[in-house]
Amino acid sequence: METWYYEVISIDGDYANLKRTDIESNDIKLVARTMLPDSISEGSKLKYEFLQYELI
C-alpha cells in the first residue's frame, strides 16, 4: 500500500481541500471532515496510509 502526503489548503464546512505534497501536482482533493483527524486546520500536514489520514 502506498503512502501519500497532503497539506490542508482550506476548510469549508464539512469538507476540506487537500493538496498532495509528495509529488508535483496542482490537483485539489475534496475530503469529508469525518475522514480527517479532528484537530486539523488550514496548513496542517497529513499522511494518508491504509485508508486513514494521520496528522503529522
Side-chain angles (χ1 to χ4, degrees):
M1 185 137 246
E2 290 188 52
T3 301
W4 298 338
Y5 293 90
Y6 292 95
E7 179 179 351
V8 178
I9 300 300
S10 63
I11 298 173
D12 185 19
D14 291 336
Y15 295 91
N17 292 298
L18 308 181
K19 182 176 191 253
R20 290 249 338 240
T21 58
D22 58 323
I23 62 168
E24 186 69 33
S25 175
N26 290 326
D27 294 337
I28 302 295
K29 182 177 184 176
L30 184 65
V31 179
R33 297 270 315 266
T34 58
M35 300 292 294
L36 302 171
D38 290 335
S39 58
I40 65 161
S41 60
E42 291 182 9
S44 293
K45 308 287 188 202
L46 301 170
K47 177 173 79 169
Y48 179 75
E49 188 173 49
F50 300 113
L51 304 174
Q52 292 186 330
Y53 290 93
E54 177 183 334
L55 195 58
I56 55 172

